[in-house]
C-alpha cells in the first residue's frame, strides 16, 4: 500500500494496524512549508509524484491527501489516477452498489460523461449543483429532507462527504471506503493489483481536452459605471444566455444551478461568477482541441463587448 502527503497518520495509525505494507510511503512528516509540492489532489505535480511512487514500489494503491485531509485522491496499481471526475465515478459506483438508485450530488463543473456514467451505467441520479463543498453537502442534506435519497456529496476538488458518516467532509473516510472495496475483493480471491477499482469506472467517457480559463473583471474600468463586479458579472452571464438561445449549434443545459452552461460541438462549457473574487471562470470540455476552441469562440463572440473583462486567457486559447 502506498500513501503520501501530510495525512501521514493514515499510514501509521490506520493502514499498518490493518496489515498494509506502507514502506514506500513518502512525505509523511508534517511541514507547513510544503517542500515537496502543493498539497492538492488536483495538482498535476502532486499526482505525478504519487503515481511515480506507486509504480516504483509496485504498490496496489496510492492515496494522497491535502493538508487537513478533507480532500483526497487515489492511484491504481497501473498508475491510473482517481481524481476529479474519475474519483466521483469511483465513489458513485461504490455507493450505488450499497444504495441503488440514490442521488449523487456534485459541484457544477463535472462532465457530461460523468452524468451519463452515473445515470445510464450505475442507475443512479446525478444532481449537479454549485461550486463549494459546503453548498454540495447542504444540497444533499436538503434533498434527503424533502424525500429524495442522497448518500454522497462530492466535488471535483476531492472534497467528499457521505450520509453514513454524518456528512463530514472527510477525505480519509472516503479512502477507507475505497480500501474496503479493495480488501473485500482480495478476501474473495480476486487479485491483480487494484483492477477491481479500475473496473468500477470502466465506461466513463472522458474528454480529450479539459481547461479552466479565468476571465478577470477590472473593477476600475469605466465600463462598470460605478457598479459592483458582481452586477457586471451577472450582466455578462445574462448576455451569454441570450446568445446561446439564438445559436442553433448550442443547447442550454435544461437544469443548471450556477452560471451559464451549454453543450455543443460534442462538448460543453460553463461560465460562472466566482463566489468571492472579481473573476468569471470558464470551464470547457470537448473531445478535441478544435472542438474546445469552437466552444471558446462562441463564448468570446458573445461577451466581446464587455470591455472590463480581461480576455487574454481565452484569446490565447482560441488563437490559431
Amino acid at each position: 500500500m502506498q500513501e503520501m502527503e501530510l495525512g501521514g497518520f493514515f499510514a501509521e495509525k490506520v493502514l499498518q494496524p490493518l496489515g498494509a505494507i506502507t514502506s514506500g510511503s513518502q512525505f509523511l512528516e508534517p511541514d507547513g512549508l510544503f517542500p515537496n509540492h502543493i498539497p492538492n489532489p488536483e495538482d498535476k505535480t502532486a499526482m505525478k509524484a504519487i503515481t511515480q511512487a506507486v509504480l516504483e514500489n509496485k504498490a496496489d494503491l496510492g492515496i494522497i491527501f491535502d493538508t487537513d485531509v478533507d480532500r483526497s485522491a487515489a492511484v491504481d496499481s497501473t498508475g491510473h489516477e482517481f481524481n476529479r471526475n474519475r474519483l466521483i465515478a469511483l465513489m458513485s459506483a461504490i455507493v450505488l452498489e450499497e444504495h441503488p438508485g440514490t442521488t449523487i450530488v456534485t459541484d457544477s463543473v463535472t462532465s457530461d460523461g460523468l452524468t451519463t456514467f452515473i445515470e445510464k451505467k450505475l442507475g443512479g441520479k446525478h444532481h449537479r449543483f454549485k461550486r463549494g463543498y459546503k453548498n454540495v453537502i447542504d444540497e444533499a442534506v436538503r434533498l434527503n429532507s424533502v424525500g429524495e435519497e442522497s448518500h454522497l456529496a462530492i466535488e471535483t476538488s476531492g472534497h467528499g462527504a457521505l450520509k453514513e458518516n454524518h456528512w463530514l467532509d472527510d477525505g480519509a473516510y472516503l479512502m477507507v471506503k475505497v480500501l474496503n472495496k479493495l480488501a473485500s475483493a482480495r478476501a474473495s480471491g480476486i487479485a491483480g493489483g487494484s483492477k477491481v477499482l479500475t473496473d468500477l469506472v470502466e465506461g466513463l467517457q472522458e474528454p480529450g481536452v479539459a481547461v479552466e480559463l479565468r476571465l478577470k473583471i477590472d473593477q476600475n474600468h469605466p465600463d462598470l459605471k460605478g457598479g459592483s463586479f458582481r452586477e457586471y458579472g451577472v450582466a455578462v452571464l445574462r448576455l451569454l444566455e441570450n446568445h446561446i438561445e439564438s445559436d442553433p449549434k448550442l443547447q442550454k443545459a435544461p437544469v443548471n444551478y450556477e452560471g451559464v452552461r451549454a453543450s455543443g460541438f460534442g462538448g460543453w462549457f460553463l461560465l460562472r461568477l466566482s463566489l468571492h473574487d472579481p473573476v468569471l471562470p470558464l470551464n470547457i470540455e470537448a473531445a478535441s482541441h478544435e472542438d474546445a476552441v469552437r466552444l471558446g469562440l462562441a463564448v468570446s463572440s458573445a461577451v466581446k463587448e464587455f470591455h472590463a473583462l480581461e480576455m487574454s486567457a481565452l484569446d490565447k486559447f482560441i488563437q490559431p
Side-chain angles (χ1 to χ4, degrees), residues 145-175:
S145 74
V146 296
E148 182 173 339
E149 183 192 72
S150 176
H151 284 270
L152 174 64
I154 186 166
E155 267 204 310
T156 47
S157 65
H159 280 290
L162 290 145
K163 184 180 182 182
E164 69 183 56
N165 194 33
H166 311 289
W167 295 117
L168 292 175
D169 182 31
D170 186 347
Y173 194 89
L174 250 61
M175 289 301 106

mmCIF file of all heavy atoms in Angstrom, residues 145-175:
data_model
loop_
_atom_site.group_PDB
_atom_site.id
_atom_site.type_symbol
_atom_site.label_atom_id
_atom_site.label_comp_id
_atom_site.label_asym_id
_atom_site.label_seq_id
_atom_site.Cartn_x
_atom_site.Cartn_y
_atom_site.Cartn_z
ATOM 1 N N SER A 145 -34.049 15.738 3.122
ATOM 2 C CA SER A 145 -35.122 16.290 3.964
ATOM 3 C C SER A 145 -36.446 16.396 3.223
ATOM 4 O O SER A 145 -37.507 16.450 3.852
ATOM 5 C CB SER A 145 -34.717 17.665 4.511
ATOM 6 O OG SER A 145 -34.768 18.657 3.490
ATOM 7 N N VAL A 146 -36.379 16.436 1.884
ATOM 8 C CA VAL A 146 -37.628 16.532 1.104
ATOM 9 C C VAL A 146 -37.969 15.199 0.429
ATOM 10 O O VAL A 146 -38.785 15.141 -0.485
ATOM 11 C CB VAL A 146 -37.557 17.673 0.051
ATOM 12 C CG1 VAL A 146 -37.418 19.014 0.736
ATOM 13 C CG2 VAL A 146 -36.422 17.450 -0.954
ATOM 14 N N GLY A 147 -37.303 14.124 0.863
ATOM 15 C CA GLY A 147 -37.693 12.790 0.414
ATOM 16 C C GLY A 147 -36.910 12.224 -0.759
ATOM 17 O O GLY A 147 -37.235 11.148 -1.248
ATOM 18 N N GLU A 148 -35.863 12.953 -1.233
ATOM 19 C CA GLU A 148 -35.020 12.407 -2.306
ATOM 20 C C GLU A 148 -33.743 11.849 -1.676
ATOM 21 O O GLU A 148 -32.917 12.601 -1.163
ATOM 22 C CB GLU A 148 -34.678 13.466 -3.354
ATOM 23 C CG GLU A 148 -33.844 12.893 -4.491
ATOM 24 C CD GLU A 148 -33.619 13.876 -5.637
ATOM 25 O OE1 GLU A 148 -34.388 14.849 -5.773
ATOM 26 O OE2 GLU A 148 -32.666 13.661 -6.402
ATOM 27 N N GLU A 149 -33.588 10.539 -1.719
ATOM 28 C CA GLU A 149 -32.465 9.898 -1.047
ATOM 29 C C GLU A 149 -31.137 10.242 -1.718
ATOM 30 O O GLU A 149 -30.972 10.070 -2.916
ATOM 31 C CB GLU A 149 -32.659 8.382 -1.061
ATOM 32 C CG GLU A 149 -31.579 7.623 -0.309
ATOM 33 C CD GLU A 149 -31.618 6.129 -0.585
ATOM 34 O OE1 GLU A 149 -31.249 5.732 -1.702
ATOM 35 O OE2 GLU A 149 -32.032 5.374 0.308
ATOM 36 N N SER A 150 -30.207 10.743 -0.923
ATOM 37 C CA SER A 150 -28.856 11.013 -1.395
ATOM 38 C C SER A 150 -27.874 10.518 -0.349
ATOM 39 O O SER A 150 -28.046 10.792 0.839
ATOM 40 C CB SER A 150 -28.649 12.515 -1.633
ATOM 41 O OG SER A 150 -27.310 12.773 -2.004
ATOM 42 N N HIS A 151 -26.851 9.774 -0.786
ATOM 43 C CA HIS A 151 -25.863 9.231 0.149
ATOM 44 C C HIS A 151 -24.459 9.754 -0.081
ATOM 45 O O HIS A 151 -23.563 9.444 0.695
ATOM 46 C CB HIS A 151 -25.859 7.697 0.062
ATOM 47 C CG HIS A 151 -27.020 7.062 0.748
ATOM 48 N ND1 HIS A 151 -26.997 6.690 2.074
ATOM 49 C CD2 HIS A 151 -28.273 6.773 0.303
ATOM 50 C CE1 HIS A 151 -28.171 6.175 2.413
ATOM 51 N NE2 HIS A 151 -28.957 6.216 1.356
ATOM 52 N N LEU A 152 -24.251 10.543 -1.151
ATOM 53 C CA LEU A 152 -22.913 11.044 -1.458
ATOM 54 C C LEU A 152 -22.972 12.469 -1.986
ATOM 55 O O LEU A 152 -23.739 12.774 -2.888
ATOM 56 C CB LEU A 152 -22.238 10.135 -2.505
ATOM 57 C CG LEU A 152 -20.876 10.583 -3.043
ATOM 58 C CD1 LEU A 152 -19.809 10.608 -1.952
ATOM 59 C CD2 LEU A 152 -20.424 9.676 -4.197
ATOM 60 N N ALA A 153 -22.144 13.346 -1.385
ATOM 61 C CA ALA A 153 -21.958 14.710 -1.875
ATOM 62 C C ALA A 153 -20.469 14.885 -2.116
ATOM 63 O O ALA A 153 -19.664 14.692 -1.201
ATOM 64 C CB ALA A 153 -22.455 15.721 -0.841
ATOM 65 N N ILE A 154 -20.071 15.232 -3.341
ATOM 66 C CA ILE A 154 -18.640 15.233 -3.662
ATOM 67 C C ILE A 154 -18.316 16.266 -4.737
ATOM 68 O O ILE A 154 -19.075 16.455 -5.686
ATOM 69 C CB ILE A 154 -18.186 13.807 -4.079
ATOM 70 C CG1 ILE A 154 -16.678 13.740 -4.285
ATOM 71 C CG2 ILE A 154 -18.962 13.309 -5.291
ATOM 72 C CD1 ILE A 154 -16.139 12.319 -4.370
ATOM 73 N N GLU A 155 -17.185 16.940 -4.560
ATOM 74 C CA GLU A 155 -16.709 17.949 -5.501
ATOM 75 C C GLU A 155 -15.553 17.417 -6.335
ATOM 76 O O GLU A 155 -14.829 16.515 -5.892
ATOM 77 C CB GLU A 155 -16.179 19.168 -4.732
ATOM 78 C CG GLU A 155 -17.172 20.269 -4.500
ATOM 79 C CD GLU A 155 -16.443 21.591 -4.289
ATOM 80 O OE1 GLU A 155 -15.518 21.663 -3.470
ATOM 81 O OE2 GLU A 155 -16.806 22.560 -4.955
ATOM 82 N N THR A 156 -15.333 18.016 -7.491
ATOM 83 C CA THR A 156 -14.181 17.645 -8.315
ATOM 84 C C THR A 156 -12.866 17.961 -7.610
ATOM 85 O O THR A 156 -11.827 17.404 -7.950
ATOM 86 C CB THR A 156 -14.212 18.384 -9.672
ATOM 87 O OG1 THR A 156 -14.476 19.773 -9.436
ATOM 88 C CG2 THR A 156 -15.274 17.819 -10.588
ATOM 89 N N SER A 157 -12.891 18.855 -6.624
ATOM 90 C CA SER A 157 -11.683 19.217 -5.880
ATOM 91 C C SER A 157 -11.174 18.084 -5.000
ATOM 92 O O SER A 157 -10.046 18.134 -4.513
ATOM 93 C CB SER A 157 -11.962 20.436 -4.990
ATOM 94 O OG SER A 157 -12.915 20.088 -3.993
ATOM 95 N N GLY A 158 -11.995 17.054 -4.766
ATOM 96 C CA GLY A 158 -11.621 15.963 -3.872
ATOM 97 C C GLY A 158 -12.326 16.008 -2.537
ATOM 98 O O GLY A 158 -12.208 15.093 -1.728
ATOM 99 N N HIS A 159 -13.069 17.087 -2.267
ATOM 100 C CA HIS A 159 -13.926 17.139 -1.072
ATOM 101 C C HIS A 159 -15.054 16.127 -1.259
ATOM 102 O O HIS A 159 -15.700 16.102 -2.316
ATOM 103 C CB HIS A 159 -14.568 18.526 -0.928
ATOM 104 C CG HIS A 159 -13.665 19.567 -0.345
ATOM 105 N ND1 HIS A 159 -13.263 19.554 0.967
ATOM 106 C CD2 HIS A 159 -13.102 20.659 -0.901
ATOM 107 C CE1 HIS A 159 -12.492 20.606 1.199
ATOM 108 N NE2 HIS A 159 -12.371 21.292 0.082
ATOM 109 N N GLY A 160 -15.324 15.338 -0.224
ATOM 110 C CA GLY A 160 -16.429 14.390 -0.327
ATOM 111 C C GLY A 160 -17.007 14.078 1.027
ATOM 112 O O GLY A 160 -16.303 14.069 2.045
ATOM 113 N N ALA A 161 -18.311 13.845 1.087
ATOM 114 C CA ALA A 161 -18.989 13.531 2.343
ATOM 115 C C ALA A 161 -20.068 12.485 2.086
ATOM 116 O O ALA A 161 -20.709 12.485 1.032
ATOM 117 C CB ALA A 161 -19.605 14.793 2.945
ATOM 118 N N LEU A 162 -20.251 11.607 3.071
ATOM 119 C CA LEU A 162 -21.232 10.528 2.969
ATOM 120 C C LEU A 162 -22.285 10.650 4.064
ATOM 121 O O LEU A 162 -21.978 11.041 5.199
ATOM 122 C CB LEU A 162 -20.537 9.174 3.096
ATOM 123 C CG LEU A 162 -19.653 8.786 1.909
ATOM 124 C CD1 LEU A 162 -18.440 8.005 2.366
ATOM 125 C CD2 LEU A 162 -20.446 7.986 0.902
ATOM 126 N N LYS A 163 -23.499 10.291 3.725
ATOM 127 C CA LYS A 163 -24.586 10.308 4.700
ATOM 128 C C LYS A 163 -24.262 9.404 5.888
ATOM 129 O O LYS A 163 -24.506 9.768 7.039
ATOM 130 C CB LYS A 163 -25.887 9.855 4.021
ATOM 131 C CG LYS A 163 -27.121 9.932 4.913
ATOM 132 C CD LYS A 163 -28.358 9.472 4.165
ATOM 133 C CE LYS A 163 -29.598 9.582 5.029
ATOM 134 N NZ LYS A 163 -30.807 9.084 4.299
ATOM 135 N N GLU A 164 -23.667 8.238 5.617
ATOM 136 C CA GLU A 164 -23.356 7.277 6.674
ATOM 137 C C GLU A 164 -22.320 7.810 7.658
ATOM 138 O O GLU A 164 -22.188 7.330 8.773
ATOM 139 C CB GLU A 164 -22.860 5.959 6.090
ATOM 140 C CG GLU A 164 -21.503 6.048 5.434
ATOM 141 C CD GLU A 164 -21.056 4.751 4.784
ATOM 142 O OE1 GLU A 164 -21.787 4.218 3.922
ATOM 143 O OE2 GLU A 164 -19.975 4.280 5.134
ATOM 144 N N ASN A 165 -21.555 8.834 7.226
ATOM 145 C CA ASN A 165 -20.540 9.454 8.085
ATOM 146 C C ASN A 165 -20.999 10.840 8.544
ATOM 147 O O ASN A 165 -20.184 11.722 8.785
ATOM 148 C CB ASN A 165 -19.208 9.548 7.330
ATOM 149 C CG ASN A 165 -18.028 9.867 8.233
ATOM 150 O OD1 ASN A 165 -17.989 9.458 9.390
ATOM 151 N ND2 ASN A 165 -17.055 10.599 7.703
ATOM 152 N N HIS A 166 -22.309 11.018 8.628
ATOM 153 C CA HIS A 166 -22.932 12.252 9.144
ATOM 154 C C HIS A 166 -22.534 13.493 8.349
ATOM 155 O O HIS A 166 -22.423 14.581 8.893
ATOM 156 C CB HIS A 166 -22.581 12.443 10.637
ATOM 157 C CG HIS A 166 -22.801 11.220 11.470
ATOM 158 N ND1 HIS A 166 -24.066 10.743 11.777
ATOM 159 C CD2 HIS A 166 -21.925 10.346 12.023
ATOM 160 C CE1 HIS A 166 -23.956 9.638 12.505
ATOM 161 N NE2 HIS A 166 -22.675 9.365 12.656
ATOM 162 N N TRP A 167 -22.297 13.307 7.054
ATOM 163 C CA TRP A 167 -21.977 14.390 6.126
ATOM 164 C C TRP A 167 -20.709 15.149 6.515
ATOM 165 O O TRP A 167 -20.579 16.333 6.237
ATOM 166 C CB TRP A 167 -23.158 15.364 5.982
ATOM 167 C CG TRP A 167 -24.356 14.723 5.361
ATOM 168 C CD1 TRP A 167 -25.569 14.546 5.940
ATOM 169 C CD2 TRP A 167 -24.465 14.169 4.037
ATOM 170 N NE1 TRP A 167 -26.433 13.906 5.079
ATOM 171 C CE2 TRP A 167 -25.783 13.656 3.906
ATOM 172 C CE3 TRP A 167 -23.575 14.035 2.966
ATOM 173 C CZ2 TRP A 167 -26.227 13.036 2.745
ATOM 174 C CZ3 TRP A 167 -24.032 13.420 1.809
ATOM 175 C CH2 TRP A 167 -25.340 12.931 1.712
ATOM 176 N N LEU A 168 -19.764 14.463 7.159
ATOM 177 C CA LEU A 168 -18.484 15.091 7.461
ATOM 178 C C LEU A 168 -17.626 15.158 6.195
ATOM 179 O O LEU A 168 -17.540 14.192 5.444
ATOM 180 C CB LEU A 168 -17.746 14.304 8.544
ATOM 181 C CG LEU A 168 -18.366 14.332 9.947
ATOM 182 C CD1 LEU A 168 -17.599 13.401 10.874
ATOM 183 C CD2 LEU A 168 -18.377 15.747 10.514
ATOM 184 N N ASP A 169 -16.981 16.287 5.997
ATOM 185 C CA ASP A 169 -16.088 16.486 4.845
ATOM 186 C C ASP A 169 -14.760 15.822 5.187
ATOM 187 O O ASP A 169 -13.868 16.437 5.742
ATOM 188 C CB ASP A 169 -15.936 17.994 4.628
ATOM 189 C CG ASP A 169 -15.073 18.324 3.441
ATOM 190 O OD1 ASP A 169 -15.066 17.547 2.473
ATOM 191 O OD2 ASP A 169 -14.397 19.368 3.489
ATOM 192 N N ASP A 170 -14.632 14.524 4.843
ATOM 193 C CA ASP A 170 -13.567 13.691 5.393
ATOM 194 C C ASP A 170 -12.927 12.839 4.295
ATOM 195 O O ASP A 170 -13.467 11.810 3.896
ATOM 196 C CB ASP A 170 -14.174 12.805 6.486
ATOM 197 C CG ASP A 170 -13.149 11.997 7.251
ATOM 198 O OD1 ASP A 170 -11.999 11.917 6.797
ATOM 199 O OD2 ASP A 170 -13.502 11.438 8.304
ATOM 200 N N GLY A 171 -11.746 13.290 3.820
ATOM 201 C CA GLY A 171 -11.064 12.563 2.757
ATOM 202 C C GLY A 171 -10.596 11.187 3.186
ATOM 203 O O GLY A 171 -10.580 10.244 2.386
ATOM 204 N N ALA A 172 -10.216 11.052 4.466
ATOM 205 C CA ALA A 172 -9.746 9.759 4.963
ATOM 206 C C ALA A 172 -10.876 8.730 4.937
ATOM 207 O O ALA A 172 -10.670 7.563 4.589
ATOM 208 C CB ALA A 172 -9.198 9.903 6.381
ATOM 209 N N TYR A 173 -12.090 9.151 5.289
ATOM 210 C CA TYR A 173 -13.219 8.222 5.296
ATOM 211 C C TYR A 173 -13.525 7.738 3.873
ATOM 212 O O TYR A 173 -13.834 6.562 3.655
ATOM 213 C CB TYR A 173 -14.456 8.891 5.904
ATOM 214 C CG TYR A 173 -15.556 7.912 6.258
ATOM 215 C CD1 TYR A 173 -15.600 7.308 7.511
ATOM 216 C CD2 TYR A 173 -16.551 7.581 5.337
ATOM 217 C CE1 TYR A 173 -16.603 6.406 7.842
ATOM 218 C CE2 TYR A 173 -17.552 6.680 5.651
ATOM 219 C CZ TYR A 173 -17.571 6.098 6.909
ATOM 220 O OH TYR A 173 -18.559 5.198 7.217
ATOM 221 N N LEU A 174 -13.427 8.662 2.906
ATOM 222 C CA LEU A 174 -13.641 8.271 1.507
ATOM 223 C C LEU A 174 -12.643 7.198 1.088
ATOM 224 O O LEU A 174 -13.006 6.213 0.438
ATOM 225 C CB LEU A 174 -13.489 9.493 0.597
ATOM 226 C CG LEU A 174 -14.761 10.019 -0.067
ATOM 227 C CD1 LEU A 174 -15.769 10.461 0.981
ATOM 228 C CD2 LEU A 174 -14.442 11.175 -1.005
ATOM 229 N N MET A 175 -11.377 7.388 1.483
ATOM 230 C CA MET A 175 -10.355 6.417 1.103
ATOM 231 C C MET A 175 -10.540 5.078 1.823
ATOM 232 O O MET A 175 -10.206 4.029 1.277
ATOM 233 C CB MET A 175 -8.958 6.987 1.379
ATOM 234 C CG MET A 175 -8.550 8.104 0.421
ATOM 235 S SD MET A 175 -8.541 7.591 -1.336
ATOM 236 C CE MET A 175 -10.027 8.426 -1.947
#
